[in-house]
Amino acid sequence: MNKPEISIIIVGYNAAAFLKLTLFAVKKSIENLKAEVIFIDNSNNPELVSMVTTNFPFVHVIGNNVNLGFGGANNLGLRYCKSDLALLLNPDTIITESALNRVIQYYRNNSKVGGIGLRMINGTGSFLRESKRGFPDIFTSFCKFSGLAKFFPNKTKFTRYYAGHIGEFDIHKTDILAGAFMTLPRLKSGDFLLFDTSFFMYGEDVDLSYRLQQNFGENIYIGDESIIHFKGKSTEASTHIIYHFFHSMWVFYKLHVKPQKNIVTNATVYLGIKGLSYFQMFRSKYLDLFSRKKTINGAELDIRLISNNQSVKKYLSNLALCRNINISTSLKIDSEQLIIFDLNFINQESVISFMQDNCGKYKFGFLTHDYSHLIMSESSFDKGQVYALK
């Protein structure tokens, strides 16, 4: 086999239904490309490995006896892959048919590019601001966590954390990319830059983005190419997760900023990060109990199923919330509240375009390719509900 044009590395931990959506979208996106797809199973789950090898035989599976973490498992894939261009892709994403080719062509036309990221939306169609971010220096981070960015959303001086000077649909250089979709080229030495495994759960993508920028010149955000990332903004984060989020901030600061600052500044930053982490833990445990969003879970809905397969309807009818189902091949919607996409019928690009144009008007559901599960996104505050259909 000739050298692949791109190597796609996906690290998974259980969550088979989301992984099915991701791999099915990848399968369609590589039809006209020379590509290798590598899946690293961090859950040591024989059933998950069997699902991948049975449904997606083009995927090379690497199993782990221990959970190497996000960074460590991706490093394993980067050491294995054969292409000069790697894509790190989350196992809860849906990419378009054109996304990979778009990225490959950009690298061919621009030699001094490190990482590339795309515009991301969640399962409700809402834009994810972390698609593009600025370098998290002291002032930028202060504006974000103090709320100044929210109070002055049109002042780019205060909105650098989410690269407020870059439009949502722009193509522009940016400092930090999201690890959910990040491409990186091979170094002249023949190796790839690897994740720093001193980070845990958070911050690895920020650190890698910074080092890509240092080695290649610039990172690029392509805002007119979108993907779905099923990422919820849950207010129910555990104290364990909050601790690691803020700890990663200190690790990044210690690696890349602290050596240039004096002892007073460093002590102030350390105490500020500690204080923020304790406040967020307190808020998560107590204050947010009064502001959690309600969903329509369990309520019956009028549903439009976008499919040409009449037999799919019988699987959905087994769910209490799926009683009033209209099946159609058209995206012209009448009064339905929930739109369910059969990705065997409709392409990913059309789905994402419809979601972007109708964000807030409808709720969206996604059928896995084998019709075994429905993933339904009811709110931006959760990743999505998974319903077994068979």
Side-chain angles (χ1 to χ4, degrees):
M1 177 182 174
N2 295 330
K3 181 183 285 189
E5 295 172 90
I6 190 167
S7 298
I8 303 155
I9 301 168
I10 301 169
V11 175
Y13 189 91
N14 296 319
F18 285 99
L19 182 60
K20 285 181 181 180
L21 288 180
T22 298
L23 289 175
F24 187 67
V26 167
K27 179 183 177 181
K28 292 202 282 183
S29 72
I30 63 174
E31 285 180 353
N32 298 313
L33 292 174
K34 294 175 184 176
E36 68 172 341
V37 183
I38 302 162
F39 174 68
I40 297 101
D41 174 31
N42 254 352
S43 57
N44 191 23
N45 184 343
E47 290 183 6
L48 186 68
V49 170
S50 176
M51 183 280 290
V52 173
T53 55
T54 302
N55 289 271
F56 307 100
F58 60 90
V59 176
H60 178 81
V61 178
I62 300 175
N64 288 326
N65 293 324
V66 294
N67 183 354
L68 297 176
F70 177 79
N74 271 299
N75 288 347
L76 190 64
L78 287 167
R79 291 189 181 102
Y80 175 88
C81 71
K82 302 175 181 67
S83 175
D84 290 332
L85 179 63
L87 166 64
L88 310 178
L89 185 67
N90 264 33
D92 53 0
T93 56
I94 297 177
I95 63 175
T96 65
E97 292 82 357
S98 61
L100 299 182
N101 189 59
R102 179 73 185 283
V103 167
I104 291 169
Q105 291 302 320
Y106 197 94
Y107 277 107
R108 286 175 180 167
N109 296 329
N110 301 273
S111 59
K112 296 182 179 180
V113 175
I116 290 180
L118 306 182
R119 179 180 180 272
M120 300 188 299
I121 61 173
N122 63 18
T124 70
S126 300
F127 173 60
L128 293 173
R129 294 184 298 166
E130 60 267 31
S131 304
K132 52 179 179 65
R133 283 174 286 174
F135 180 77
D137 57 30
I138 296 172
F139 181 75
T140 298
S141 300
F142 172 77
C143 290
K144 196 266 187 187
F145 290 104
S146 68
L148 277 174
K150 286 185 178 180
F151 285 116
F152 303 100
N154 299 318
K155 299 287 186 181
T156 56
K157 180 179 180 180
F158 301 124
T159 58
R160 291 197 309 234
Y161 190 90
Y162 290 118
H165 62 290
I166 303 173
E168 186 180 329
F169 297 97
D170 288 352
I171 301 173
H172 202 282
K173 62 182 179 181
T174 190
D175 294 328
I176 308 300
L177 302 169
F181 183 107
M182 182 192 293
T183 57
L184 55 158
R186 200 179 287 273
L187 295 163
K188 289 181 180 179
S189 65
D191 299 320
F192 283 101
L193 286 175
L194 301 177
F195 281 106
D196 184 338
T197 54
S198 63
F199 291 88
F200 183 77
M201 293 181 71
Y202 294 101
E204 303 106 319
D205 52 354
V206 178
D207 175 73
L208 184 58
S209 294
Y210 178 70
R211 289 185 286 119
L212 280 167
Q213 199 174 40
Q214 286 183 315
N215 279 270
F216 292 96
E218 59 187 27
N219 297 325
I220 297 295
Y221 167 71
I222 300 179
D224 61 357
E225 185 77 50
S226 301
I227 70 166
I228 300 171
H229 180 206
F230 292 96
K231 176 184 179 296
K233 299 180 290 185
S234 176
T235 59
E236 299 179 73
S238 69
T239 55
H240 175 71
I241 289 173
I242 292 170
Y243 167 80
H244 283 293
F245 175 80
F246 284 98
H247 178 69
S248 72
M249 289 177 61
W250 174 245
V251 173
F252 182 85
Y253 180 87
K254 191 165 58 173
L255 285 172
H256 301 298
V257 183
K258 183 184 175 187
Q260 288 82 45
K261 302 296 181 182
N262 60 49
I263 190 170
V264 175
T265 300
N266 291 332
T268 302
V269 170
Y270 177 78
L271 293 173
I273 290 173
K274 278 290 185 183
L276 269 173
S277 67
Y278 289 133
F279 171 74
Q280 291 292 347
M281 284 186 241
F282 173 81
R283 193 180 78 168
S284 174
K285 192 169 184 179
Y286 298 106
L287 301 184
D288 285 338
L289 287 170
F290 303 102
S291 60
R292 289 172 185 162
K293 301 285 183 179
K294 293 182 179 180
T295 70
I296 55 167
N297 217 4
E300 286 191 21
L301 300 169
D302 290 325
I303 295 168
R304 172 68 62 92
L305 169 62
I306 308 299
S307 177
N308 63 347
N309 187 347
Q310 291 288 336
S311 64
V312 180
K313 197 172 177 178
K314 68 180 180 182
Y315 298 123
L316 291 170
S317 297
N318 294 329
L319 296 179
L321 56 82
C322 294
R323 296 302 187 201
N324 307 310
I325 305 172
N326 297 315
I327 186 167
S328 171
T329 58
S330 171
L331 282 170
K332 293 181 179 178
I333 309 302
D334 296 323
S335 59
E336 291 89 353
Q337 301 156 287
L338 171 64
I339 315 302
I340 296 177
F341 300 108
D342 176 1
L343 297 177
N344 286 300
F345 167 70
I346 188 169
N347 64 54
Q348 295 101 256
E349 198 160 344
S350 297
V351 169
I352 291 173
S353 178
F354 181 84
M355 290 174 67
Q356 289 174 166
D357 293 341
N358 295 277
C359 178
K361 293 182 183 178
Y362 312 106
K363 292 173 173 57
F364 302 109
F366 309 83
L367 289 166
T368 56
H369 72 286
D370 57 354
Y371 304 122
S372 62
H373 293 88
L374 166 68
I375 294 175
M376 210 169 90
S377 292
E378 301 177 5
S379 164
S380 293
F381 287 84
D382 61 62
K383 185 171 184 174
Q385 299 295 317
V386 179
Y387 299 91
L389 301 180
K390 294 182 180 179

Short mmCIF file of all heavy atoms in Angstrom, two decimals, residues 355-379:
data_model
loop_
_atom_site.label_atom_id
_atom_site.label_comp_id
_atom_site.label_asym_id
_atom_site.label_seq_id
_atom_site.Cartn_x
_atom_site.Cartn_y
_atom_site.Cartn_z
N MET A 355 -28.71 21.78 10.52
CA MET A 355 -28.62 22.08 11.95
C MET A 355 -28.16 23.52 12.19
O MET A 355 -28.69 24.21 13.06
CB MET A 355 -27.67 21.10 12.62
CG MET A 355 -28.18 19.68 12.69
SD MET A 355 -26.95 18.52 13.34
CE MET A 355 -26.78 19.11 15.03
N GLN A 356 -27.20 23.96 11.41
CA GLN A 356 -26.70 25.33 11.56
C GLN A 356 -27.79 26.35 11.24
O GLN A 356 -27.93 27.36 11.93
CB GLN A 356 -25.50 25.56 10.63
CG GLN A 356 -24.26 24.81 11.06
CD GLN A 356 -23.12 24.93 10.05
OE1 GLN A 356 -21.99 24.60 10.36
NE2 GLN A 356 -23.42 25.36 8.84
N ASP A 357 -28.55 26.06 10.19
CA ASP A 357 -29.59 27.00 9.75
C ASP A 357 -30.81 27.00 10.67
O ASP A 357 -31.60 27.96 10.65
CB ASP A 357 -30.03 26.68 8.32
CG ASP A 357 -28.93 26.93 7.31
OD1 ASP A 357 -27.98 27.65 7.62
OD2 ASP A 357 -29.03 26.37 6.19
N ASN A 358 -30.97 25.93 11.43
CA ASN A 358 -32.19 25.78 12.24
C ASN A 358 -31.89 25.55 13.72
O ASN A 358 -32.70 24.97 14.44
CB ASN A 358 -33.03 24.61 11.70
CG ASN A 358 -33.55 24.88 10.31
OD1 ASN A 358 -34.58 25.53 10.12
ND2 ASN A 358 -32.84 24.36 9.31
N CYS A 359 -30.75 26.04 14.16
CA CYS A 359 -30.37 25.89 15.57
C CYS A 359 -31.40 26.59 16.46
O CYS A 359 -31.73 27.76 16.26
CB CYS A 359 -28.99 26.49 15.79
SG CYS A 359 -28.43 26.42 17.50
N GLY A 360 -31.93 25.87 17.44
CA GLY A 360 -32.92 26.43 18.35
C GLY A 360 -34.36 26.19 17.93
O GLY A 360 -35.27 26.30 18.75
N LYS A 361 -34.58 25.84 16.67
CA LYS A 361 -35.95 25.59 16.19
C LYS A 361 -36.41 24.17 16.49
O LYS A 361 -37.59 23.93 16.76
CB LYS A 361 -36.03 25.84 14.68
CG LYS A 361 -35.82 27.27 14.25
CD LYS A 361 -35.97 27.38 12.74
CE LYS A 361 -35.70 28.80 12.25
NZ LYS A 361 -35.80 28.89 10.77
N TYR A 362 -35.48 23.23 16.39
CA TYR A 362 -35.82 21.81 16.56
C TYR A 362 -34.81 21.14 17.47
O TYR A 362 -33.73 21.66 17.72
CB TYR A 362 -35.82 21.07 15.21
CG TYR A 362 -36.57 21.76 14.11
CD1 TYR A 362 -35.89 22.40 13.08
CD2 TYR A 362 -37.97 21.76 14.08
CE1 TYR A 362 -36.58 23.04 12.05
CE2 TYR A 362 -38.66 22.38 13.06
CZ TYR A 362 -37.95 23.03 12.05
OH TYR A 362 -38.64 23.67 11.04
N LYS A 363 -35.19 19.94 17.91
CA LYS A 363 -34.25 19.04 18.55
C LYS A 363 -33.84 18.00 17.51
O LYS A 363 -34.60 17.71 16.59
CB LYS A 363 -34.87 18.41 19.78
CG LYS A 363 -35.08 19.44 20.89
CD LYS A 363 -35.83 18.88 22.05
CE LYS A 363 -35.87 19.89 23.19
NZ LYS A 363 -36.46 21.18 22.78
N PHE A 364 -32.64 17.42 17.68
CA PHE A 364 -32.11 16.55 16.65
C PHE A 364 -31.75 15.18 17.21
O PHE A 364 -31.30 15.05 18.36
CB PHE A 364 -30.86 17.17 16.02
CG PHE A 364 -31.10 18.53 15.42
CD1 PHE A 364 -30.58 19.67 16.02
CD2 PHE A 364 -31.87 18.67 14.28
CE1 PHE A 364 -30.81 20.93 15.48
CE2 PHE A 364 -32.11 19.92 13.73
CZ PHE A 364 -31.58 21.05 14.33
N GLY A 365 -31.99 14.16 16.37
CA GLY A 365 -31.62 12.79 16.72
C GLY A 365 -30.83 12.17 15.58
O GLY A 365 -30.97 12.56 14.41
N PHE A 366 -29.99 11.18 15.92
CA PHE A 366 -29.10 10.57 14.94
C PHE A 366 -29.16 9.06 15.09
O PHE A 366 -28.92 8.53 16.18
CB PHE A 366 -27.66 11.06 15.14
CG PHE A 366 -27.54 12.56 15.21
CD1 PHE A 366 -27.77 13.24 16.40
CD2 PHE A 366 -27.21 13.29 14.09
CE1 PHE A 366 -27.67 14.62 16.47
CE2 PHE A 366 -27.11 14.68 14.14
CZ PHE A 366 -27.35 15.34 15.34
N LEU A 367 -29.46 8.36 14.00
CA LEU A 367 -29.50 6.91 14.01
C LEU A 367 -28.13 6.35 13.64
O LEU A 367 -27.49 6.83 12.69
CB LEU A 367 -30.54 6.40 13.01
CG LEU A 367 -32.00 6.61 13.37
CD1 LEU A 367 -32.88 6.37 12.16
CD2 LEU A 367 -32.41 5.69 14.52
N THR A 368 -27.69 5.33 14.37
CA THR A 368 -26.46 4.65 13.97
C THR A 368 -26.72 3.88 12.68
O THR A 368 -27.86 3.56 12.35
CB THR A 368 -25.98 3.69 15.08
OG1 THR A 368 -27.02 2.76 15.39
CG2 THR A 368 -25.58 4.47 16.32
N HIS A 369 -25.66 3.56 11.97
CA HIS A 369 -25.80 2.97 10.64
C HIS A 369 -26.53 1.63 10.65
O HIS A 369 -27.17 1.26 9.67
CB HIS A 369 -24.41 2.77 10.01
CG HIS A 369 -23.62 1.66 10.64
ND1 HIS A 369 -23.04 1.80 11.88
CD2 HIS A 369 -23.34 0.41 10.21
CE1 HIS A 369 -22.43 0.67 12.18
NE2 HIS A 369 -22.58 -0.19 11.19
N ASP A 370 -26.45 0.89 11.77
CA ASP A 370 -27.11 -0.42 11.88
C ASP A 370 -28.47 -0.33 12.56
O ASP A 370 -29.09 -1.37 12.85
CB ASP A 370 -26.21 -1.39 12.63
CG ASP A 370 -25.82 -0.90 14.02
OD1 ASP A 370 -26.16 0.26 14.36
OD2 ASP A 370 -25.17 -1.66 14.76
N TYR A 371 -28.93 0.88 12.82
CA TYR A 371 -30.23 1.15 13.45
C TYR A 371 -30.34 0.52 14.84
O TYR A 371 -31.44 0.22 15.31
CB TYR A 371 -31.38 0.68 12.57
CG TYR A 371 -31.36 1.28 11.19
CD1 TYR A 371 -31.31 0.47 10.05
CD2 TYR A 371 -31.37 2.65 11.01
CE1 TYR A 371 -31.28 1.02 8.78
CE2 TYR A 371 -31.33 3.22 9.74
CZ TYR A 371 -31.29 2.39 8.63
OH TYR A 371 -31.24 2.95 7.37
N SER A 372 -29.22 0.34 15.51
CA SER A 372 -29.25 -0.25 16.84
C SER A 372 -29.47 0.78 17.93
O SER A 372 -29.93 0.46 19.03
CB SER A 372 -27.93 -1.00 17.12
OG SER A 372 -26.83 -0.10 17.09
N HIS A 373 -29.13 2.06 17.64
CA HIS A 373 -29.25 3.11 18.66
C HIS A 373 -29.70 4.43 18.04
O HIS A 373 -29.42 4.71 16.87
CB HIS A 373 -27.90 3.34 19.36
CG HIS A 373 -27.46 2.19 20.20
ND1 HIS A 373 -26.71 1.15 19.69
CD2 HIS A 373 -27.64 1.91 21.53
CE1 HIS A 373 -26.47 0.27 20.65
NE2 HIS A 373 -27.01 0.72 21.77
N LEU A 374 -30.38 5.18 18.85
CA LEU A 374 -30.72 6.57 18.54
C LEU A 374 -30.02 7.45 19.56
O LEU A 374 -30.12 7.22 20.77
CB LEU A 374 -32.23 6.78 18.63
CG LEU A 374 -32.73 8.25 18.64
CD1 LEU A 374 -32.47 8.92 17.29
CD2 LEU A 374 -34.22 8.31 19.01
N ILE A 375 -29.29 8.45 19.07
CA ILE A 375 -28.68 9.45 19.95
C ILE A 375 -29.46 10.74 19.78
O ILE A 375 -29.59 11.24 18.66
CB ILE A 375 -27.20 9.65 19.63
CG1 ILE A 375 -26.42 8.37 19.96
CG2 ILE A 375 -26.63 10.83 20.41
CD1 ILE A 375 -24.96 8.41 19.57
N MET A 376 -29.99 11.25 20.87
CA MET A 376 -30.86 12.41 20.81
C MET A 376 -30.28 13.55 21.62
O MET A 376 -29.96 13.39 22.81
CB MET A 376 -32.25 12.06 21.32
CG MET A 376 -33.35 12.86 20.69
SD MET A 376 -34.96 12.19 21.11
CE MET A 376 -35.31 13.10 22.59
N SER A 377 -30.11 14.70 21.00
CA SER A 377 -29.59 15.88 21.68
C SER A 377 -30.74 16.81 22.01
O SER A 377 -31.31 17.44 21.13
CB SER A 377 -28.57 16.60 20.79
OG SER A 377 -27.42 15.82 20.63
N GLU A 378 -31.06 16.88 23.29
CA GLU A 378 -32.19 17.69 23.73
C GLU A 378 -31.76 19.08 24.19
O GLU A 378 -32.54 20.01 24.18
CB GLU A 378 -32.91 16.99 24.89
CG GLU A 378 -33.44 15.61 24.54
CD GLU A 378 -34.08 14.93 25.73
OE1 GLU A 378 -34.20 15.57 26.79
OE2 GLU A 378 -34.49 13.77 25.61
N SER A 379 -30.51 19.19 24.63
CA SER A 379 -30.07 20.44 25.25
C SER A 379 -28.57 20.59 25.09
O SER A 379 -27.84 19.61 25.00
CB SER A 379 -30.43 20.42 26.75
OG SER A 379 -29.73 21.41 27.45
#
